[in-house]
Amino acid sequence: MMTIARYRVAGARSFSTASGVSTVGVIGLGLMGHGIAQAAAEKGYKVVAVELEERFLQGGLKRIGDSVKKITSKAVEKGKMDKAVGDAHIASTMARITATTDRGALASCDVIIEAVIENLQLKQTLYGEIGRVVKDSCIIASNTSSLSIGTMAGYCGRPAQMIGLHFFNPVQMMKLVEVVRTDQTDPKIFARAMEFSRSLDKTPVECIDTPGFIVNRLLVPYLTSAMLLVERGVATPADVDTAMKLGAGHPMGPMALADYVGLDTCLSIIGGWQSAFPDEPAFKVPESLRAKVAAGKLGRKTGEGFWKWDGDKLAA
Ligand SMILES: NC(=O)c1ccc[n+]([C@@H]2O[C@H](COP(=O)([O-])OP(=O)(O)OC[C@H]3O[C@@H](n4cnc5c(N)ncnc54)[C@H](O)[C@@H]3O)[C@@H](O)[C@H]2O)c1
């Protein structure tokens, strides 16, 4: 079944840049996808927002609408924007977004960013469809955190067009995008993706297709090393966090950060890498991590992990 939801506002326009992109396709309007769709629409791009199932579509659109309103209202409250300008910005941003469950709508896109859950089977089917639908000039990007871009390039059958565009959560606030290439990525596609990232006011960094790219390759083993250190009885979780905050100047200690990211997410990433690279010592899975996840203590989102949480904050 196909749904088209379009918010119309007089004066909404599309936007073109040196990247050759004017229409952006986003697949999956979850935590990451809604932020990517919002960032592109706010910068003036036409956005084709595709959800795989009808049940996700209205929730995804609402998420975008709520987020644009919240950020714009804050700017108005702080006096950075007139209320009338803010209202027009919200309306014009939403007017640029066409939401649908029809994957055929991706045919008009100059870049497609896939942001569905990390389920290889789901992505395999989806990339097969993407490969059949898109233009030869389309940049095909995955926002995956832990899967190989090369594998998805194989699924879509268009390896020269395939890259990773790894945004960070929350997309609306975080400046970094890791732009990931495989051996087969066309350098022109890569250069256009770098330019497109800059046009969203992000700072792109280049990276080859390797587990975790740059940030997660360094960050996830750091978090699990902290858990292993606690398991060995070197220090308590509280002292590990205090040590890294005061000794290394980190805003949050690794135990709290693992809770914040989600212990299930940490386990799924490190577990996947351990299976793929069993000889890599940095990918050892801590027993305490397995135990927390098995007990349903997933960190911030369940109210308890290595720490207790009160909403988004550590419990007093
Ligand atoms: N969460 C993060 O902090 C983060 C950061 C960077 C990259 N990523 C990557 O972004 C992608 C999306 O992650 P997310 O956290 O936004 O995911 P999410 O759980 O919010 O879901 C995203 C989308 O996946 C699809 N989906 C969800 N459940 C489904 C189901 N049962 N059947 C079919 N489709 C379903 C829907 O389209 C949904 O909008 C993943 O590849 C992830 O690795 C996540």
Side-chain angles (χ1 to χ4, degrees):
M1 188 172 35
M2 189 180 99
T3 302
I4 299 277
R6 191 191 279 273
Y7 295 78
R8 287 182 202 284
V9 163
R13 56 166 176 77
S14 64
F15 181 93
S16 227
T17 69
S19 66
V21 173
S22 63
T23 303
V24 177
V26 179
I27 312 176
L29 300 179
L31 185 65
M32 298 303 292
H34 92 276
I36 297 167
Q38 177 185 338
E42 284 197 89
K43 287 292 168 197
Y45 288 104
K46 273 193 283 186
V47 174
V48 175
V50 175
E51 263 299 1
L52 301 187
E53 296 179 22
E54 191 70 35
R55 62 188 166 120
F56 299 128
L57 196 66
Q58 293 311 322
L61 275 175
K62 181 171 182 318
R63 216 164 176 173
I64 299 172
D66 290 349
S67 171
V68 184
K69 279 181 205 145
K70 189 171 161 194
I71 292 170
T72 309
S73 304
K74 269 195 189 151
V76 171
E77 270 166 35
K78 288 184 180 166
K80 291 183 183 165
M81 201 185 262
D82 286 344
K83 174 137 185 1
V85 174
D87 288 346
H89 175 72
I90 295 167
S92 61
T93 297
M94 297 311 291
R96 292 187 193 105
I97 302 173
T98 302
T100 179
T101 53
D102 175 16
R103 265 86 103 187
L106 296 169
S108 66
C109 296
D110 305 301
V111 58
I112 288 171
I113 303 154
E114 170 273 308
V116 302
I117 45 168
E118 292 287 63
N119 176 320
L120 205 54
Q121 211 178 353
L122 184 77
K123 298 209 192 213
Q124 181 166 11
T125 313
L126 181 59
Y127 275 101
E129 290 182 36
I130 293 171
R132 287 192 288 279
V133 165
V134 296
K135 303 192 264 201
D136 290 345
S137 60
C138 181
I139 304 165
I140 307 171
S142 175
N143 186 50
T144 182
S145 293
S146 61
L147 302 174
S148 147
I149 302 301
T151 303
M152 283 172 276
Y155 293 154
C156 79
R158 291 175 176 266
Q161 290 168 249
M162 183 84 213
I163 56 153
L165 274 184
H166 189 224
F167 290 84
F168 288 77
N169 177 37
V171 178
Q172 295 88 337
M173 311 295 292
M174 298 292 277
K175 286 285 178 198
L176 183 67
V177 183
E178 290 172 324
V179 186
V180 183
R181 64 171 186 272
T182 73
D183 290 347
Q184 298 188 68
T185 305
D186 178 345
K188 288 197 197 89
I189 289 277
F190 190 81
R192 287 175 53 211
M194 292 287 288
E195 189 54 41
F196 170 67
S197 305
R198 285 188 201 102
S199 78
L200 297 180
D201 264 351
K202 304 295 181 199
T203 301
V205 290
E206 302 185 21
C207 182
I208 63 164
D209 187 19
T210 183
F213 313 131
I214 302 170
V215 172
N216 284 340
R217 176 62 182 81
L218 293 174
L219 185 62
V220 177
Y222 160 63
L223 301 181
T224 52
S225 296
M227 295 170 204
L228 292 167
L229 190 139
V230 171
E231 283 179 20
R232 290 198 302 273
V234 173
T236 62
D239 280 351
V240 168
D241 279 0
T242 300
M244 291 311 291
K245 281 198 289 185
L246 302 186
H250 291 187
M252 198 185 259
M255 306 302 285
L257 183 55
D259 272 4
Y260 192 87
V261 169
L263 299 183
D264 52 339
T265 304
C266 293
L267 180 59
S268 136
I269 294 174
I270 201 81
W273 291 349
Q274 190 192 44
S275 305
F277 305 93
D279 298 330
E280 171 56 66
F283 297 161
K284 183 173 162 51
V285 180
E287 280 312 314
S288 56
L289 177 61
R290 285 194 202 284
K292 290 281 181 198
V293 173
K297 294 181 178 175
L298 307 182
R300 176 180 56 126
K301 64 181 136 182
T302 59
E304 187 177 346
F306 290 104
W307 289 91
K308 289 214 163 77
W309 291 81
D310 183 4
D312 275 356
K313 306 246 176 312
L314 285 172

